[in-house]
Amino acid sequence: MGLKRLLRKALRIAIIAFLGWVLLVAALGIFWRWVPPVSTLMLGRWLTGQPVERTFVDLDEVSPYMIAAVVNSEDARFCQHRGVDWGMLQQVIVDDDGPSRGASTISMQTAKNLFLWPSRSYVRKGLELPVALYLDGIWPKRRMLEVYLNIAEWGEGIFGVEAAAQRYFRKKAQQLTLREAALLATALPNPRWRNPARPNQHHQALATNLADRMEQAGMVHRCVLGND
């Protein structure tokens, strides 16, 4: 078999695989609108025999402090954009920061956690954008935040806010205080290195700063307060 035939065959396989992935995203996006989803990291741990701690909870079962802390920390314009914060993304591109977390909205992080891989790359970011737009188009904002809070990683094998609250503070997610919520939210960028129960000085400073911002910012999470 000649090189050209091999390349054509590889291209056909790649196209078929990509189209299959697109169909999977479309189908699971609809299915997970109502059914508790699992992330690729959770699936990977199950397939390799590693434990996973996760208890799915409704958004109403999460402390209002926790909801406000995550939105303020991860995506303060969550209620204003439709999946992608184009202004922030353009700023990151202009500043030449690469595919950084700073431009990632909660919708984009949800898309990554559900359908992509964790390492940063332009390829992953390019796939992340349309998936985030799609999910934000078919899910209410409440569902988007609810899913994100239930699949976010908070340590080795710890997924979701309920498991994190139980592990670090021995209480339900609904009972988290402002300080505890701020510590959990500021652990998200580095969940393997920041322990909310035993924060180092830098982590404590981040949590204090976030708590101050929450008081000044007001209800930036107002779009998830209703039932729509």
Side-chain angles (χ1 to χ4, degrees):
M1 184 179 292
L3 179 60
K4 288 186 177 180
R5 290 184 63 189
L6 283 173
L7 290 175
R8 284 198 296 267
K9 184 175 181 180
L11 180 60
R12 284 198 298 270
I13 292 173
I15 292 173
I16 292 172
F18 176 72
L19 292 176
W21 176 79
V22 170
L23 291 174
L24 181 66
V25 170
L28 287 178
I30 296 172
F31 183 66
W32 283 338
R33 166 67 177 83
W34 293 279
V35 178
V38 296
S39 70
T40 53
L41 284 178
M42 294 167 63
L43 183 60
R45 291 184 67 87
W46 279 323
L47 291 176
T48 54
Q50 300 178 77
V52 170
E53 294 180 43
R54 200 279 289 268
T55 300
F56 194 95
V57 292
D58 295 337
L59 200 61
D60 291 335
E61 299 176 75
V62 179
S63 164
Y65 291 126
M66 190 69 232
I67 293 171
V70 167
V71 174
N72 276 276
S73 177
E74 297 289 287
D75 185 4
R77 288 173 49 82
F78 176 66
C79 289
Q80 300 174 42
H81 63 68
R82 294 306 305 169
V84 177
D85 189 341
W86 296 107
M88 181 62 71
L89 187 63
Q90 182 179 17
Q91 181 180 335
V92 169
I93 294 173
V94 170
D95 292 342
D96 196 26
D97 287 340
S100 72
R101 183 184 176 92
S104 291
T105 63
I106 286 174
S107 304
M108 291 167 66
Q109 292 180 60
T110 302
K112 176 201 70 177
N113 289 342
L114 290 178
F115 298 108
L116 299 165
W117 58 94
S119 60
R120 296 175 182 176
S121 70
Y122 288 106
V123 173
R124 195 210 74 194
K125 188 65 70 174
L127 294 172
E128 199 175 286
L129 295 178
V131 177
L133 292 169
Y134 170 65
L135 294 180
D136 209 279
I138 64 173
W139 292 359
K141 287 289 187 179
R142 277 181 61 87
R143 180 58 175 175
M144 183 69 71
L145 185 61
E146 182 176 79
V147 169
Y148 177 68
L149 286 170
N150 277 284
I151 61 174
E153 184 184 25
W154 259 291
E156 182 71 28
I158 304 170
F159 295 90
V161 65
E162 181 69 18
Q166 296 280 0
R167 168 64 71 91
Y168 296 118
F169 300 114
R170 300 292 187 267
K171 60 176 60 175
K172 293 181 177 295
Q174 197 170 38
Q175 300 169 325
L176 290 167
T177 65
L178 171 61
R179 180 65 177 174
E180 292 163 347
L183 286 167
L184 282 170
T186 49
L188 281 171
N190 294 287
R192 301 288 182 94
W193 298 100
R194 296 178 184 172
N195 185 327
R198 294 190 296 274
N200 58 29
Q201 188 174 3
H202 177 62
H203 190 178
Q204 291 185 48
L206 290 174
T208 298
N209 180 266
L210 174 58
D212 291 340
R213 293 206 321 268
M214 288 166 61
E215 293 180 356
Q216 297 170 10
M219 305 295 284
V220 297
H221 58 295
R222 61 174 57 87
C223 62
V224 302
L225 298 179
N227 295 317
D228 296 332

